[in-house]
Amino acid sequence: FPICSRRWYYVALEHLIPKLSPGGFVIIDDYGVIAECQRAVLDFRAQHGIDAPIIPIDRSGIWWHHIGQQAK
């Protein structure tokens, strides 16, 4: 699989989250197995005030309910 940096994941979140409708779901597949992904997700959420609970799916995936917070 491709090696993805923290920056790659962060930029992906910057582009995708603002397009997500309130009430939608964010699903991240690499969170539990790629440290750079987890760091990017946590940094992005902290910097954009996203406090919806992170729910584990399995050892690698997570989701959260996008309740209308908009990325700044």
Side-chain angles (χ1 to χ4, degrees):
F1 61 91
I3 303 296
C4 297
S5 69
R6 178 206 160 281
R7 181 72 184 144
W8 185 90
Y9 286 104
Y10 195 94
V11 168
L13 290 168
E14 284 184 317
H15 285 91
L16 296 174
I17 299 297
K19 295 175 175 42
L20 185 62
S21 297
F25 295 89
V26 178
I27 300 171
I28 309 289
D29 187 47
D30 296 334
Y31 185 87
V33 293
I34 299 178
E36 292 83 2
C37 176
Q38 184 176 28
R39 282 193 293 269
V41 168
L42 295 175
D43 289 350
F44 182 86
R45 287 171 49 95
Q47 290 178 4
H48 293 90
I50 299 171
D51 58 3
I54 293 175
I55 311 298
I57 298 169
D58 55 21
R59 76 177 194 94
S60 66
I62 61 158
W63 67 273
W64 72 82
H65 192 207
H66 182 67
I67 54 175
Q69 299 115 325
Q70 296 298 317
K72 298 172 189 160

